[in-house]
Amino acid sequence: MRKSWWKILGLVMVALSIVGGFLGPVPELPILHETIRNVYFHVPMWFTMLTLYLISVIYSIKYLSSGDTKHDLIAVEAVNTGIMFCAMGLLTGMLWANITWGEAWPNDPKLNGSAIATLMYLAYLVLRNALEEEQKRAKISAIYNIFSFPIMVVLIYILPKLTDSLHPGNGGNGTFGDLDMDNYMRPVFYTAVIGWILIGTWICTLRYRIRLIENKRNQIDTHS
């Protein structure tokens, strides 16, 4: 129980945010209307993705300094889990855009930057599968991963602020927190963000454990 408290907390927080997100009151706003409830789902997906990618970078750096295979496995599983949340973030964003902006994928710098960043991380996974020698694969992919993270931050968060963008908080637009979220929405939103980050971390640890078991099984098969 001592080791699982944060997993239980994550489940409880996500459950509360889902109930509060669907049933709680929201401000009456033009254009957004009830779609503002998507802020409880769309934005936490991106926060979770960023957290997992940051974990991956940290363990890629640790691998380069230690050569410990476990650090490399954590790095790749953090990316694998982050890609899942990236896909959910894109899908919820496209649904929201289709309702509020009239099309699922308008020509917006933040959307285009998100697409490029997603392709970069998919390329990271392709790169790992293309290299057979274990140490070479781990070193090259670690270096690639370390450079990908700051590029992603530039594409998603810096460039959209320097040009016109439909997204809140970019291109001179105010953020949801400044303009649209009231004192009821903010606690539900932050509960959702923290809860989903905990769930994402939990999924990453499960994937890491499965990868360890697979590696041990492969080593046994190789020696037998």
Side-chain angles (χ1 to χ4, degrees):
M1 181 63 73
R2 290 180 180 177
K3 294 182 179 180
S4 301
W5 67 267
W6 61 275
K7 302 171 187 176
I8 297 170
L9 178 63
L11 289 172
V12 171
M13 294 182 83
V14 167
L16 288 174
S17 69
I18 291 173
V19 173
F22 280 117
L23 301 181
V26 292
E28 296 182 5
L29 299 167
I31 301 176
L32 290 172
H33 303 293
E34 289 289 321
T35 67
I36 195 174
R37 296 180 187 277
N38 197 21
V39 76
Y40 299 132
F41 305 97
H42 172 61
V43 181
M45 297 300 108
W46 289 111
F47 273 105
T48 307
M49 177 199 75
L50 282 170
T51 302
L52 289 164
Y53 286 169
L54 179 59
I55 290 171
S56 179
V57 168
I58 291 170
Y59 277 92
S60 287
I61 295 171
K62 283 188 174 184
Y63 173 77
L64 290 178
S65 62
S66 68
D68 190 339
T69 304
K70 291 181 179 179
H71 292 159
D72 176 57
L73 295 180
I74 294 173
V76 68
E77 292 307 334
V79 170
N80 279 326
T81 312
I83 287 288
M84 292 167 46
F85 283 91
C86 174
M88 290 188 286
L90 289 174
L91 288 173
T92 52
M94 289 170 66
L95 176 64
W96 203 356
N98 193 48
I99 296 171
T100 57
W101 298 335
E103 54 182 316
W105 199 282
N107 186 20
D108 182 82
K110 188 152 190 170
L111 288 173
N112 295 335
S114 299
I116 296 170
T118 302
L119 291 174
M120 283 194 329
Y121 276 94
L122 289 173
Y124 165 81
L125 298 177
V126 172
L127 174 66
R128 289 191 64 91
N129 291 327
L131 299 171
E132 294 184 2
E133 202 276 312
E134 185 176 342
Q135 288 187 342
K136 182 179 179 181
R137 177 178 65 232
K139 286 182 179 179
I140 293 176
S141 58
I143 294 169
Y144 179 98
N145 191 24
I146 292 167
F147 281 99
S148 293
F149 187 80
I151 295 173
M152 177 202 64
V153 172
V154 170
L155 287 170
I156 296 180
Y157 290 99
I158 297 178
L159 288 182
K161 292 182 181 294
L162 303 178
T163 184
D164 291 332
S165 175
L166 295 169
H167 266 79
N170 297 283
N173 297 329
T175 64
F176 272 118
D178 294 335
L179 300 176
D180 302 323
M181 287 201 291
D182 57 20
N183 290 331
Y184 171 83
M185 290 191 69
R186 288 189 185 92
V188 178
F189 171 74
Y190 292 123
T191 299
V193 169
I194 296 170
W196 280 112
I197 288 174
L198 292 175
I199 294 296
T201 306
W202 185 9
I203 294 172
C204 179
T205 59
L206 290 174
R207 292 185 62 96
Y208 167 65
R209 289 180 183 178
I210 293 171
R211 183 65 72 96
L212 280 179
I213 293 170
E214 290 176 347
N215 278 12
K216 288 180 181 178
R217 185 178 298 169
N218 291 337
Q219 289 175 1
I220 292 172
D221 292 341
T222 302
H223 294 299
S224 62

